[in-house]
Amino acid sequence: MSTVAASQDTPDRDAARVPVRRLTVLYDADCALCTFVRDWLSRQPQLVPLEPIPAGSARARARFPGLDHRATLEEITVVGDAGQVYRGAAAWIVTLWALREHRPLAHRLSTPAGAKLAKGAVLAAARWRGARAGKEQWGGGTYRSADGWSYDPRQGWTHTPPTCADGTCSTG
Protein backbone atom coordinates (compact mmCIF):
# COMPACT_ATOMS: atom_id res chain seq x y z
CA MET A 1 0.00 0.00 0.00
CA SER A 2 2.90 2.30 -0.71
CA THR A 3 0.77 4.62 -2.87
CA VAL A 4 -1.04 5.93 0.21
CA ALA A 5 1.37 8.24 1.93
CA ALA A 6 1.19 9.48 5.47
CA SER A 7 -0.06 13.02 5.92
CA GLN A 8 2.00 15.66 4.17
CA ASP A 9 3.37 17.03 7.44
CA THR A 10 4.78 13.60 8.39
CA PRO A 11 8.13 12.55 6.94
CA ASP A 12 8.22 9.39 4.81
CA ARG A 13 8.94 6.40 7.03
CA ASP A 14 9.85 4.12 4.11
CA ALA A 15 6.46 2.41 4.03
CA ALA A 16 7.68 0.10 1.26
CA ARG A 17 10.08 -1.62 3.66
CA VAL A 18 8.34 -1.12 7.03
CA PRO A 19 5.48 -3.60 7.43
CA VAL A 20 2.28 -2.47 9.12
CA ARG A 21 1.31 -5.03 11.74
CA ARG A 22 -1.30 -3.02 13.66
CA LEU A 23 -3.29 0.17 13.13
CA THR A 24 -4.83 2.42 15.75
CA VAL A 25 -7.96 4.23 14.59
CA LEU A 26 -8.59 7.45 16.49
CA TYR A 27 -12.30 8.29 16.31
CA ASP A 28 -14.59 10.91 17.86
CA ALA A 29 -16.47 9.03 20.58
CA ASP A 30 -19.12 11.79 20.69
CA CYS A 31 -19.98 11.46 16.99
CA ALA A 32 -22.79 9.05 16.06
CA LEU A 33 -21.30 8.42 12.60
CA CYS A 34 -17.83 7.79 14.04
CA THR A 35 -19.05 5.31 16.64
CA PHE A 36 -21.19 3.56 14.01
CA VAL A 37 -18.11 3.17 11.78
CA ARG A 38 -16.04 1.99 14.78
CA ASP A 39 -18.62 -0.71 15.51
CA TRP A 40 -18.79 -1.71 11.83
CA LEU A 41 -14.98 -1.97 11.67
CA SER A 42 -14.90 -4.20 14.74
CA ARG A 43 -17.26 -6.68 13.03
CA GLN A 44 -15.17 -6.94 9.85
CA PRO A 45 -12.59 -9.71 9.29
CA GLN A 46 -9.23 -7.98 9.66
CA LEU A 47 -5.96 -8.82 7.91
CA VAL A 48 -4.22 -6.17 10.03
CA PRO A 49 -5.61 -5.68 13.55
CA LEU A 50 -7.43 -2.39 14.10
CA GLU A 51 -7.55 -0.89 17.57
CA PRO A 52 -10.11 1.89 18.00
CA ILE A 53 -9.25 4.54 20.61
CA PRO A 54 -11.32 7.66 21.30
CA ALA A 55 -9.53 10.68 19.82
CA GLY A 56 -8.35 13.20 22.38
CA SER A 57 -8.79 10.73 25.26
CA ALA A 58 -6.23 10.29 28.02
CA ARG A 59 -5.39 6.91 26.50
CA ALA A 60 -4.73 8.45 23.06
CA ARG A 61 -2.64 11.27 24.57
CA ALA A 62 -0.53 8.79 26.56
CA ARG A 63 -0.06 6.47 23.57
CA PHE A 64 0.77 9.24 21.07
CA PRO A 65 2.19 12.22 22.99
CA GLY A 66 3.60 13.90 19.86
CA LEU A 67 0.29 13.91 17.96
CA ASP A 68 -1.92 17.00 17.58
CA HIS A 69 -4.89 15.60 19.47
CA ARG A 70 -7.16 18.53 18.70
CA ALA A 71 -6.70 17.75 14.99
CA THR A 72 -7.59 14.08 15.57
CA LEU A 73 -11.05 15.21 16.69
CA GLU A 74 -11.52 17.16 13.46
CA GLU A 75 -10.23 14.61 10.95
CA ILE A 76 -10.00 10.83 11.08
CA THR A 77 -6.48 9.82 12.04
CA VAL A 78 -4.95 6.34 11.88
CA VAL A 79 -1.55 5.54 13.36
CA GLY A 80 0.53 2.55 12.28
CA ASP A 81 2.63 0.54 14.71
CA ALA A 82 5.86 1.91 13.19
CA GLY A 83 4.75 5.53 13.64
CA GLN A 84 3.02 6.06 10.30
CA VAL A 85 0.30 8.73 10.54
CA TYR A 86 -2.58 8.77 8.07
CA ARG A 87 -5.23 11.50 7.98
CA GLY A 88 -8.38 12.11 5.98
CA ALA A 89 -8.75 10.05 2.80
CA ALA A 90 -5.45 8.24 3.38
CA ALA A 91 -6.72 7.15 6.81
CA TRP A 92 -9.89 5.70 5.29
CA ILE A 93 -7.93 3.91 2.59
CA VAL A 94 -5.42 2.34 4.97
CA THR A 95 -8.29 1.27 7.25
CA LEU A 96 -10.05 -0.45 4.34
CA TRP A 97 -6.70 -1.99 3.38
CA ALA A 98 -6.61 -3.66 6.82
CA LEU A 99 -9.95 -5.39 6.17
CA ARG A 100 -9.99 -8.72 4.35
CA GLU A 101 -13.11 -8.06 2.28
CA HIS A 102 -12.23 -4.44 1.48
CA ARG A 103 -8.52 -4.63 0.59
CA PRO A 104 -9.24 -4.75 -3.17
CA LEU A 105 -11.32 -1.56 -2.80
CA ALA A 106 -8.48 0.08 -0.86
CA HIS A 107 -6.10 -0.69 -3.71
CA ARG A 108 -8.51 0.89 -6.21
CA LEU A 109 -8.93 3.96 -3.99
CA SER A 110 -5.15 4.36 -3.71
CA THR A 111 -4.91 5.24 -7.41
CA PRO A 112 -5.07 8.92 -8.45
CA ALA A 113 -8.67 8.55 -9.67
CA GLY A 114 -9.69 6.52 -6.63
CA ALA A 115 -8.09 9.02 -4.26
CA LYS A 116 -10.47 11.69 -5.61
CA LEU A 117 -13.41 9.43 -4.81
CA ALA A 118 -12.05 8.68 -1.31
CA LYS A 119 -11.51 12.37 -0.65
CA GLY A 120 -15.08 13.08 -1.75
CA ALA A 121 -16.41 10.44 0.66
CA VAL A 122 -14.37 11.93 3.52
CA LEU A 123 -15.62 15.43 2.69
CA ALA A 124 -19.22 14.18 2.58
CA ALA A 125 -18.81 12.55 6.00
CA ALA A 126 -17.24 15.73 7.39
CA ARG A 127 -20.08 17.81 6.00
CA TRP A 128 -22.64 15.46 7.55
CA ARG A 129 -20.85 15.67 10.91
CA GLY A 130 -20.65 19.45 10.69
CA ALA A 131 -24.34 19.78 9.87
CA ARG A 132 -25.27 17.67 12.90
CA ALA A 133 -22.79 19.19 15.37
CA GLY A 134 -24.47 20.93 18.25
CA LYS A 135 -28.02 20.09 17.14
CA GLU A 136 -30.32 18.60 19.71
CA GLN A 137 -32.33 16.00 17.82
CA TRP A 138 -34.71 13.47 19.22
CA GLY A 139 -33.30 9.99 18.76
CA GLY A 140 -30.57 11.10 16.37
CA GLY A 141 -28.20 13.05 18.56
CA THR A 142 -25.17 11.96 20.43
CA TYR A 143 -25.71 9.94 23.58
CA ARG A 144 -22.83 10.76 25.88
CA SER A 145 -21.63 8.42 28.61
CA ALA A 146 -21.05 11.45 30.84
CA ASP A 147 -24.81 12.09 30.66
CA GLY A 148 -25.57 8.55 31.84
CA TRP A 149 -26.04 6.78 28.50
CA SER A 150 -24.53 3.40 27.70
CA TYR A 151 -24.91 1.05 24.76
CA ASP A 152 -24.94 -2.72 24.67
CA PRO A 153 -25.37 -4.31 21.21
CA ARG A 154 -27.74 -6.90 22.65
CA GLN A 155 -29.90 -4.54 24.73
CA GLY A 156 -29.53 -1.18 22.96
CA TRP A 157 -29.27 2.18 24.68
CA THR A 158 -29.89 2.51 28.42
CA HIS A 159 -29.88 5.61 30.56
CA THR A 160 -28.84 5.80 34.19
CA PRO A 161 -28.99 9.40 35.38
CA PRO A 162 -25.74 10.55 36.96
CA THR A 163 -25.75 10.90 40.70
CA CYS A 164 -23.98 13.45 42.86
CA ALA A 165 -22.44 10.74 45.04
CA ASP A 166 -18.96 11.36 43.63
CA GLY A 167 -19.28 15.14 43.96
CA THR A 168 -19.12 15.85 40.22
CA CYS A 169 -22.68 17.06 39.66
CA SER A 170 -23.29 20.68 38.94
CA THR A 171 -25.36 22.48 41.54
CA GLY A 172 -26.70 25.12 39.16
Side-chain angles (χ1 to χ4, degrees):
M1 174 121 234
S2 59
T3 59
V4 177
S7 69
Q8 293 176 351
D9 59 347
T10 304
D12 182 10
R13 299 190 199 287
D14 196 11
R17 292 189 300 172
V18 179
V20 176
R21 292 189 176 99
R22 176 175 216 77
L23 292 167
T24 301
V25 179
L26 300 173
Y27 69 95
D28 183 351
D30 291 331
C31 165
L33 175 62
C34 303
T35 56
F36 174 83
V37 171
R38 175 209 57 204
D39 293 344
W40 178 81
L41 287 171
S42 70
R43 292 188 306 269
Q44 302 306 304
Q46 300 172 4
L47 295 171
V48 175
L50 297 172
E51 179 183 11
I53 295 180
S57 67
R59 184 172 167 205
R61 290 176 190 280
R63 177 80 93 42
F64 308 110
L67 208 53
D68 178 357
H69 291 279
R70 188 180 352 220
T72 66
L73 287 165
E74 298 298 320
E75 183 174 41
I76 181 173
T77 304
V78 176
V79 182
D81 58 338
Q84 308 93 327
V85 177
Y86 306 89
R87 289 191 173 93
W92 283 109
I93 293 169
V94 77
T95 301
L96 290 172
W97 174 82
L99 303 176
R100 182 177 66 215
E101 294 173 13
H102 299 283
R103 187 168 275 187
L105 174 61
H107 285 289
R108 287 192 301 276
L109 292 174
S110 68
T111 66
K116 289 178 185 177
L117 180 64
K119 184 176 181 179
V122 169
L123 291 174
R127 187 174 199 165
W128 184 88
R129 277 186 73 203
R132 298 183 62 86
K135 290 186 178 180
E136 294 292 328
Q137 297 182 6
W138 178 82
T142 301
Y143 297 106
R144 301 178 190 280
S145 58
D147 296 332
W149 289 99
S150 63
Y151 181 77
D152 180 300
R154 290 166 285 171
Q155 298 177 5
W157 286 100
T158 58
H159 183 257
T160 306
T163 66
C164 294
D166 61 0
T168 59
C169 290
S170 65
T171 58

